[in-house]
């Protein structure tokens, strides 16, 4: 089955055609991120206008094959942005007489792990799986028992991991979006032992829950920034490095704790923050050093950040078409 996926939850306008949920025929993403970078954060109204401009050209470019169904992100996300994709998908469904499948954006992110790479021997994840879903608005540990069967184990009590990167990047004057900016700054650090004495907290790392908290880390970074009168690039790089170490330590440690408790066959990483190379490296290292009998799945970087291929994949593996009249955008859709 060939599915056209449409994703417009935030500042990416994306369309993709995916066969049987695993093979990408096309994957087109137009982003208005550069425009928002000027303002240090996303402007919802502008993002929606950009969605309107891009949606038809993006779908046109993605439509490289006849499709059997249309999948669309219905939430969570920015209402103005979501409406553009949802209403376009409904119109296409009506005009082409194709079934339409509403997809939760967060579930979509997870399905980036089910798209098979060209790499020889690439295998789909086996159940059950522990999922670490880390995006701009969400930080969740989930036990995935089967397709569509999710048991949330824990989430953030305040800021999400991506949000923490974004807010700290603003404090450090590193630009938007914060995650890639923090990663780039951290990699520029020239180690000076004197400076490495700064210590940032690892909030909730050793408590009994699978919950997270990142707002204290942002406060700790703000305090360090205040101590430095003039933030030269060197302390900014150092704090970016320290921040990345603290966030990734907490994420990996809680994921391993969940894996020890539930003995899954797979660990899946998902969401925009999964693009972080340090997080990817630390998770792989931790699993091999603990000698856990579990396979780690990490999507290629372009499938971690927002795209429509994983929306089409999620719709294939959870094929529940809904009459188009009943489909509505829901900005605060839960997991
Ligand atoms: O999943 P996503 O693209 O959009 C949402 O659904 O939220 O995630 C965006 C988040 C942003 O907070 C961004 O700063 C973060 O993912 N991010 C990263 C990296 N690339 C994107 N965080 C850390 N390292 C990265 N390389
Ligand atoms: Zn996302």
């Amino acid at each position: 089955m060939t599915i056209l996926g449409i994703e417009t939850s935030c500042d990416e306008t994306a369309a993709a055609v995916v066969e049987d949920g695993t093979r990408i025929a096309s994957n087109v993403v137009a982003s208005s991120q550069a425009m928002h970078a000027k303002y240090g954060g996303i402007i919802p109204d502008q993002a929606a206008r950009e969605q309107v401009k891009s949606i038809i050209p993006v779908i046109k470019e993605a439509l490289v094959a006849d499709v059997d169904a249309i999948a669309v992100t219905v939430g969570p996300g920015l209402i103005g942005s979501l409406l553009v994709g949802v209403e376009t998908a409904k119109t296409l469904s009506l005009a082409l007489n194709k079934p339409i499948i509403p997809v939760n954006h967060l579930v979509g992110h997870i399905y980036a792990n089910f798209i098979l790479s060209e790499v020889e021997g690439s295998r789909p994840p086996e159940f059950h799986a522990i999922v670490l879903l880390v995006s701009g608005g969400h930080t969740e540990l989930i036990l995935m028992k089967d397709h569509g069967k999710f048991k949330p184990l824990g989430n953030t009590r305040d800021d999400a991991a991506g949000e923490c990167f974004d807010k700290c990047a603003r404090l450090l004057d590193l630009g938007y979006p914060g995650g890639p900016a923090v990663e780039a700054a951290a990699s520029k650090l020239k180690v000076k032992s004197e400076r490495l004495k700064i210590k940032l907290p690892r909030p909730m790392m050793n408590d009994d829950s699978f919950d997270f908290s990142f707002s204290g880390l942002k406060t700790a970074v703000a305090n360090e920034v205040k101590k430095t009168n003039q933030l030269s690039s060197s302390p900014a790089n150092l704090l970016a490095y320290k921040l990345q170490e603290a966030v990734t330590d907490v994420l990996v440690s809680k994921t391993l704790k969940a894996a020890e408790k539930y003995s899954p066959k797979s660990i899946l990483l998902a969401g925009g923050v999964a693009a972080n190379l340090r997080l990817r490296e630390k998770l792989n290292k931790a699993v091999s050093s603990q000698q856990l009998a579990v396979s780690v799945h990490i999507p290629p970087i372009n499938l971690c950040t927002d795209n429509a291929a994983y929306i089409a994949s999620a719709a294939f593996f959870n094929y529940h078409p809904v009459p188009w009249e009943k489909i509505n955008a829901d900005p605060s859709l839960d997991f």
Side-chain angles (χ1 to χ4, degrees), residues 75-102:
L78 302 170
I79 184 65
S81 291
L82 283 169
L83 278 170
V84 176
V86 168
E87 294 308 313
T88 307
K90 283 159 73 170
T91 308
L92 281 176
S93 159
L94 178 67
L96 304 173
N97 194 25
K98 303 279 182 197
I100 178 167
I101 305 107

Side-chain angles (χ1 to χ4, degrees), residues 199-280:
K199 243 186 144 26
L200 294 180
R202 266 77 177 146
M204 295 182 74
M205 187 159 84
N206 297 315
D207 78 345
D208 289 338
S209 77
F210 291 114
D211 284 345
F212 301 88
S213 165
F214 290 108
S215 67
L217 202 42
K218 174 193 64 199
T219 310
V221 169
N223 288 339
E224 291 298 336
V225 170
K226 267 192 225 142
K227 283 189 211 160
T228 324
N229 287 345
Q230 207 183 11
L231 200 65
S232 70
S233 72
S234 169
N237 292 349
L238 172 65
L239 280 169
Y241 171 80
K242 293 281 179 178
L243 172 67
Q244 182 173 256
E245 290 306 302
V247 171
T248 51
D249 276 351
V250 176
L251 293 175
V252 170
S253 154
K254 292 254 163 165
T255 306
L256 268 266
K257 203 170 97 181
E260 276 154 23
K261 176 159 181 191
Y262 292 97
S263 305
K265 291 202 170 133
S266 327
I267 293 177
L268 316 187
L269 197 54
V273 181
N276 186 274
L277 294 180
R278 189 71 177 126
L279 175 61
R280 299 158 83 95

Side-chain angles (χ1 to χ4, degrees), residues 7 9-10 12 76 105-106 109 133-138 271-272 304-307 310:
E7 151 66 44
S9 65
C10 193
E12 268 93 20
H105 179 78
L106 303 172
H109 267 299
L133 173 59
V134 268
S135 70
H138 291 81
C304 290
T305 47
D306 288 349
N307 67 85
Y310 59 56

